[in-house]
Amino acid sequence: MRPNLDNIQIEINDFHNSNWKSAIQAIDRKDYSSIWQAFSGSASQAMEEDRQAHGKVLWLLADACSMMLKPSSVNAPFRPFAMFEERRSAIPEDFTESDIIFFSQIVNEVDDIWLRARLADLVWLLQRKLGTTFALTAINAYRSIPLDKITWFRGGRECWGRAISLALTLKEGAGNCVTEIELAIITAFESTKLEDGFFSLQLAEFLLSNRLCRIKGIDIALKLASLAHTFDSNGDLWNARSFFGASAKWFQLSGDKAKAAEMTANIAEGWVKEAFFRIASENPSYLLAASFYENAIQTYRTISRSERPIFRVDERIAELRTRMNEAGEKSLHEMGTISSPPIGITDLVESARNDVRGKSTLDALSAFANIYQGAKEAQTRESSEKTLREYPLSALFASTHLSRDGRVIARGPGVGFCDTDSDYYQTAVWEKMIHSYHMQLSLVVQGCIWPALEILLLEHRLREEDFVALAGNSPIVPKGREQLFGKALFAGYEKDFVTAIHLLVPQIENMVRQQLKNAGKSTTNLDKSGIENENGLSTLMDIPETTEIFGEDLAFELKALFCDAFGPNLRNEIAHGLLDDAACQSIVAIYAWWFGLKLVFKTFWNARRMTNEY
């Protein structure tokens, strides 16, 4: 833990004598996370040795390097790497004016480019009156960070992005910095090879998102297309789709609409191939095949009308719709609950933390998605019926459920000694089931999800684009909803559950609707005026095929969590703007976010595993 440093005075000689270079010399592959850990370790040692001034210097350097960089934000480019219920790691506002003056005095003596960039950037951000020299120093240090694959994915992308952001802020004051950065990135892109994989794609997308290198757009598009075709020939459909998509964007930007449409058609046919592989594999999955056919159809629909005849788009869509419906009908028998392996619960909290601790990012996410098996409909029903039998007085009188603003939103019947097959009795059982489920969520969130999330945040730095990519490669996420799902999941990962559930809940409803459509089931109703309207989630959950598609357990949770008046009823509460701030940060909201993450990740994981199998 970082000690209180306010009463410790430091000067530049303390920096010289702090052995700061020794602290980071042993780092094999530098990034801000490893530098922060090295400095914080040395700072703690200095404090233990009663070298207070040296310890403060090292702690300040550690805090400066601990923050996560968000280059797209001009005013708040630095965020804490970890946030807990009552505390967080450092942010720029934690540094005093004297701390920043100290940084300004030592920055030119720092020969480590990572550290120099961060210190100069903080001086510029917090003390603009000291001049643009510090912004220029930060730009030059950031763009000196190596342009190699490993460094790029360990913070290099954000550093180069921050260099561009600073240069654009300075405008003429930055000289030719933007042009030189553009040249460095395109040179790195042109030298990439097939084995560099997503590094090539990331460089191309970096140029695109920062509006750089437009004059070489065709060359970039052609190289991406060439790599995409090679991936496709090698059977790597995952990478092929990504590269075809990036190529299409560059062709479109360059004005070649025909080539952009060709790349889009290649993406669609990639989905068709994947559907074929799913059906032809030793363990065929018509569920996934139907999803992939639907993705192909949606992809073809993005091709403009003027380009469709060239690729027989309308005819191809008709063919694929037939295949999708056939696969959807065959998928009903194979679709069930998404199961999770059991976890030890002797010490629930510590067990949850240990489940995700010390793992790679993907394995940690897998453990997090499996941290709880989910509610079991049959067990919940059995225990609820047992309660009614053993405590009949609890069900003798009718119950009334009120909303937070005092409205009656549901009534539970008094069943007395009525027939167990009666509607009254079944409603009473359902009410008990929802109550039991809601009580269980409190234990799950506080004992499993929240402790595991804190470890995940402490050990891994995930970005919004990581969650968007996860959603884009999850077969349960409908085409065109990747950004919305990704933004929602990332918001929850940052503990912004207000944003998370407002984005996520409507997308879960749409996901249910799309799965029903893929299975060939109608999701609309026709009113007396002949207007066809989409049914809401409550109506969709009452369709018998919904339980066949999702399985009893998952269907129970979807209904109990999102669209039943006896429960949280999140779909209705969000649709009508009934949730206040506290409700958006509640146990239910946290669980709803995790539930969405579980759906997306586990279907992604299963699809990835099946890809590896064939």
Side-chain angles (χ1 to χ4, degrees):
M1 294 293 295
R2 181 187 188 278
N4 190 317
L5 308 173
D6 294 342
N7 297 323
I8 302 175
Q9 301 298 317
I10 57 173
E11 55 187 28
I12 196 166
N13 284 335
D14 296 315
F15 170 71
H16 295 154
N17 299 323
S18 65
N19 292 325
W20 67 273
K21 283 189 178 183
S22 299
I24 59 176
Q25 277 179 345
I27 300 174
D28 293 331
R29 174 68 67 167
K30 283 185 180 176
D31 59 14
Y32 282 116
S33 178
S34 60
I35 295 173
W36 158 66
Q37 292 180 40
F39 276 140
S40 59
S42 296
S44 297
Q45 182 179 348
M47 289 297 187
E48 290 174 2
E49 297 171 354
D50 200 28
R51 295 186 291 116
Q52 301 295 306
H54 298 163
K56 178 172 182 175
V57 169
L58 294 168
W59 270 122
L60 288 175
L61 298 180
D63 286 345
C65 294
S66 71
M67 296 177 289
M68 297 178 66
L69 181 57
K70 186 179 181 181
S72 61
S73 175
V74 175
N75 298 307
F78 297 109
R79 294 185 176 186
F81 83 91
M83 296 181 66
F84 305 96
E85 291 187 37
E86 299 179 354
R87 57 192 176 90
R88 54 158 173 74
S89 58
I91 59 174
E93 288 70 22
D94 291 337
F95 295 101
T96 65
E97 183 175 356
S98 61
D99 294 336
I100 299 304
I101 296 299
F102 177 72
F103 287 162
S104 71
Q105 294 170 342
I106 67 173
V107 66
N108 289 328
E109 299 189 34
V110 173
D111 54 5
D112 181 89
I113 53 176
W114 294 83
L115 181 57
R116 177 185 289 182
R118 181 56 59 89
L119 296 181
D121 201 348
L122 285 171
V123 173
W124 164 252
L125 181 70
L126 298 173
Q127 290 289 333
R128 297 284 174 91
K129 64 185 180 182
L130 295 179
T132 60
T133 301
F134 292 99
L136 290 170
T137 299
I139 292 170
N140 290 326
Y142 278 134
R143 65 193 182 109
S144 298
I145 289 172
L147 274 172
D148 60 69
K149 181 166 62 175
I150 296 178
T151 305
W152 185 260
F153 290 107
R154 291 172 64 102
R157 177 191 175 100
E158 288 75 15
C159 292
W160 281 83
R162 180 60 176 161
I164 292 174
S165 178
L166 289 171
L168 293 176
T169 300
L170 295 184
K171 298 181 179 178
E172 293 84 358
N176 296 322
C177 284
V178 174
T179 302
E180 292 168 358
I181 290 172
E182 181 181 55
L183 178 61
I185 299 292
I186 190 62
T187 300
F189 171 76
E190 289 173 343
S191 64
T192 57
K193 301 177 177 63
L194 184 71
E195 53 267 26
D196 290 317
F198 266 84
F199 181 45
S200 307
L201 191 67
Q202 287 267 319
L203 291 174
E205 291 183 346
F206 183 85
L207 291 169
L208 187 68
S209 62
N210 285 283
R211 300 178 178 275
L212 301 177
C213 255
R214 300 299 178 89
I215 196 171
K216 302 198 72 172
I218 290 293
D219 293 334
I220 295 172
L222 288 172
K223 174 161 184 173
L224 289 169
S226 175
L227 291 170
H229 281 298
T230 304
F231 281 124
D232 188 61
S233 298
N234 294 342
D236 188 347
L237 302 178
W238 196 305
N239 273 320
R241 284 196 299 270
S242 299
F243 278 78
F244 278 130
S247 179
K249 291 178 184 177
W250 278 100
F251 276 125
Q252 189 72 33
L253 183 67
S254 302
D256 195 334
K257 295 182 179 180
K259 289 295 289 185
E262 179 186 334
M263 297 300 105
T264 304
N266 287 333
I267 296 172
E269 289 306 313
W271 285 116
V272 175
K273 291 177 183 177
E274 190 124 24
F276 172 78
F277 286 139
R278 291 292 186 266
I279 294 173
S281 66
E282 293 183 4
N283 299 305
S285 173
Y286 290 98
L287 165 63
L288 291 175
S291 173
F292 293 143
Y293 282 134
E294 196 268 339
N295 287 343
I297 292 170
Q298 295 296 344
T299 302
Y300 266 124
R301 284 176 175 167
T302 64
I303 297 177
S304 64
R305 288 288 176 185
S306 60
E307 305 298 330
R308 288 191 176 191
I310 302 174
F311 304 100
R312 295 179 55 253
V313 170
D314 293 333
E315 296 92 329
R316 189 59 169 151
I317 287 177
E319 295 170 2
L320 295 175
R321 182 175 290 280
T322 300
R323 294 191 192 182
M324 181 185 72
N325 290 338
E326 291 174 352
E329 292 175 0
K330 293 179 180 179
S331 71
L332 290 178
H333 73 280
E334 70 183 42
M335 301 171 67
T337 303
I338 298 174
S339 61
S340 304
I343 60 171
I345 57 171
T346 304
D347 184 348
L348 198 58
V349 171
E350 193 58 31
S351 176
R353 289 171 175 165
N354 289 334
D355 278 350
V356 299
R357 181 179 282 129
K359 291 181 169 64
S360 67
T361 300
L362 200 58
D363 287 340
L365 275 174
S366 177
F368 185 61
N370 288 296
I371 205 73
Y372 169 56
Q373 298 180 49
K376 301 299 181 184
E377 195 270 349
Q379 293 177 9
T380 307
R381 180 176 296 278
E382 182 181 352
S383 65
S384 298
E385 291 181 333
K386 182 179 179 182
T387 299
L388 289 177
R389 289 194 304 269
E390 295 182 353
Y391 304 97
L393 288 179
S394 67
L396 186 62
F397 304 102
S399 62
T400 300
H401 295 256
L402 303 178
S403 66
R404 282 179 296 276
D405 57 2
R407 292 176 295 108
V408 176
I409 57 175
R411 294 187 186 276
V415 297
F417 301 100
C418 68
D419 186 354
T420 57
D421 292 328
S422 69
D423 291 339
Y424 283 115
Y425 183 81
Q426 292 303 320
T427 300
V429 171
W430 179 256
E431 181 185 3
K432 289 291 184 185
M433 291 172 67
I434 298 299
H435 177 73
S436 174
Y437 174 71
H438 193 270
M439 294 292 290
Q440 191 174 12
L441 294 191
S442 180
L443 176 63
V444 170
V445 171
Q446 296 182 69
C448 297
I449 294 173
W450 193 261
L453 177 60
E454 288 189 331
I455 297 300
L456 202 62
L457 285 166
L458 183 64
E459 296 186 353
H460 301 279
R461 294 184 173 188
L462 294 172
R463 302 165 299 181
E464 182 178 302
E465 50 262 43
D466 297 320
F467 287 95
V468 172
L470 173 64
N473 288 294
S474 173
I476 206 169
V477 175
K479 185 69 176 177
R481 303 301 177 102
E482 302 88 351
Q483 290 285 339
L484 291 169
F485 264 96
K487 284 179 178 294
L489 297 181
F490 177 68
Y493 181 70
E494 290 212 316
K495 300 184 180 179
D496 178 7
F497 299 107
V498 176
T499 301
I501 63 169
H502 278 81
L503 284 173
L504 186 61
V505 172
Q507 298 313 312
I508 288 178
E509 176 174 343
N510 178 68
M511 177 272 294
V512 172
R513 182 176 292 112
Q514 291 302 320
Q515 291 297 325
L516 284 166
K517 287 182 176 180
N518 291 346
K521 306 305 172 184
S522 174
T523 63
T524 61
N525 65 81
L526 200 65
D527 67 16
K528 62 183 180 180
S529 301
I531 305 299
E532 189 175 13
N533 300 301
E534 284 286 355
N535 292 323
L537 185 59
S538 298
T539 303
L540 297 178
M541 293 308 301
D542 288 335
I543 298 174
E545 287 79 9
T546 304
T547 300
E548 295 180 33
I549 289 171
F550 292 100
E552 288 185 349
D553 295 337
L554 194 56
F556 167 67
E557 285 211 75
L558 285 167
K559 189 171 183 178
L561 187 60
F562 295 108
C563 58
D564 190 271
F566 287 126
N569 205 6
L570 283 177
R571 188 270 182 192
N572 183 69
E573 297 283 285
I574 288 175
H576 297 290
L578 301 175
L579 295 182
D580 57 18
D581 291 343
C584 290
Q585 302 284 354
S586 66
I587 293 293
V588 170
I590 296 170
Y591 184 83
W593 165 77
W594 174 84
F595 180 82
L597 176 63
K598 181 182 77 166
L599 285 176
V600 173
F601 184 86
K602 289 181 71 63
T603 48
F604 152 79
W605 186 264
N606 291 339
R608 185 170 183 254
R609 183 181 60 192
M610 291 187 69
T611 300
N612 293 335
E613 285 179 357
Y614 66 74

